[in-house]
Amino acid sequence: MTQESVPVIFENLSKVRMTYRAGLRSVAFVWMGVLMQGLDAGRAPKKHSAVSCRPKELTALTKTLVVASLKLFDKDNGEPLGIWAPGFPELQVEKDSPPQGSKVQCSLLFMAQGLKKVLEDQRDNLNPNSVELHKKLGSTVSNVNLLAACAKHTLGGECSLKPPPPQMPKDAFKKKQWSHTLLMTARAYLDWLELKFGQQSSKVKGKKMIQHKALQKKPTPQKYLEGSGYLL
């Protein structure tokens, strides 16, 4: 072996070592990636806590949408339209009557079905160009459905005896009168429901306040050293 060949051999060995180390690093990174994927796959999904609805606030919002829909409806369909005489018994309640879960479910179901018919009639028949009204009615129907779910969560109950779907008249003017009256009746019903949810909320807060005060007044247990009369 010549002296000139020695540096060449060392240079080649250095290159081999560098290649080997680079290969080890690559393998290590690959295994780390596989390991991390395995850990991620093994993690159980986090459970999201259920958020309770706010029935009074949701009722107020839905009523606001009904009022806005009524204003747009009257604007686009002409005033005065008068009242559709048969009315809507499904949405008529006694002012002082308490809300019953099953009845509320039936009333909100009827309301959503009726408002959907109003939307379809305005969009597909009487006022196809009233886009703003269509959007507002669509939002109102969606909110009524949300309110029904919230009311079920709060009051319980099922609409076992479902009311027959609302039947819209065929005459153009009577259609408008029917729709106008339905929107007005829906507003009045939501007024009542908002009031009842507010009263219910006040009662719950009152009970919690009484319980809190009772806990504050409860005497702290005191321990005495037996036979001494002194507090521990």
Side-chain angles (χ1 to χ4, degrees):
M1 182 182 295
T2 63
Q3 289 183 349
E4 290 82 0
S5 63
V6 173
V8 174
I9 292 171
F10 277 110
E11 185 180 351
N12 290 337
L13 285 172
S14 298
K15 288 180 180 179
V16 169
R17 287 194 192 98
M18 288 174 66
T19 304
Y20 180 71
R21 285 172 185 167
L24 283 177
R25 287 195 195 99
S26 299
V27 171
F29 282 128
V30 169
W31 275 107
M32 283 178 68
V34 172
L35 180 61
M36 292 302 293
Q37 287 177 357
L39 288 171
D40 287 339
R43 285 193 188 115
K46 293 181 180 178
K47 293 183 179 179
H48 297 282
S49 58
V51 179
S52 60
C53 66
R54 299 171 68 89
K56 182 178 181 292
E57 290 77 5
L58 186 53
T59 306
L61 174 61
T62 308
K63 184 180 70 175
T64 301
L65 289 170
V66 168
V67 171
S69 297
L70 178 59
K71 287 181 179 178
L72 286 170
F73 181 91
D74 288 346
K75 176 187 170 186
D76 293 347
N77 288 274
E79 298 180 74
L81 293 171
I83 301 298
W84 192 66
F88 299 96
E90 296 84 356
L91 298 178
Q92 292 170 353
V93 287
E94 293 291 333
K95 186 178 179 181
D96 297 328
S97 61
Q100 296 179 16
S102 58
K103 288 185 177 180
V104 170
Q105 288 299 308
C106 289
S107 294
L108 292 175
L109 172 64
F110 181 87
M111 187 187 297
Q113 290 176 337
L115 292 174
K116 188 178 179 183
K117 282 185 179 290
V118 175
L119 169 60
E120 290 170 350
D121 182 56
Q122 290 291 307
R123 184 186 59 205
D124 304 333
N125 186 16
L126 295 178
N127 284 301
N129 296 322
S130 299
V131 178
E132 188 180 358
L133 173 60
H134 305 160
K135 288 181 179 178
K136 193 65 69 176
L137 284 169
S139 298
T140 305
V141 172
S142 298
N143 256 67
V144 172
N145 289 327
L146 286 174
L147 179 57
C150 181
K152 185 176 180 180
H153 174 77
T154 306
L155 301 172
E158 294 276 355
C159 181
S160 52
L161 297 173
K162 293 183 180 180
Q167 297 297 319
M168 183 180 281
K170 294 184 178 180
D171 176 75
F173 179 76
K174 287 183 178 179
K175 280 183 177 183
K176 293 180 180 182
Q177 198 176 63
W178 185 92
S179 301
H180 170 82
T181 305
L182 176 65
L183 283 162
M184 288 185 63
T185 311
R187 178 183 63 185
Y189 180 85
L190 293 170
D191 260 333
W192 169 83
L193 191 59
E194 182 185 359
L195 176 66
K196 295 304 171 183
F197 278 136
Q199 290 173 349
Q200 190 179 58
S201 177
S202 297
K203 286 180 182 178
V204 171
K205 286 179 181 177
K207 285 181 181 178
K208 287 183 178 178
M209 186 68 72
I210 291 170
Q211 289 173 353
H212 180 67
K213 287 181 178 179
L215 287 172
Q216 285 182 329
K217 289 181 179 179
K218 190 175 180 181
T220 305
Q222 296 178 330
K223 294 182 180 179
Y224 288 84
L225 182 61
E226 188 176 355
S228 69
Y230 290 99
L231 285 170
L232 288 175

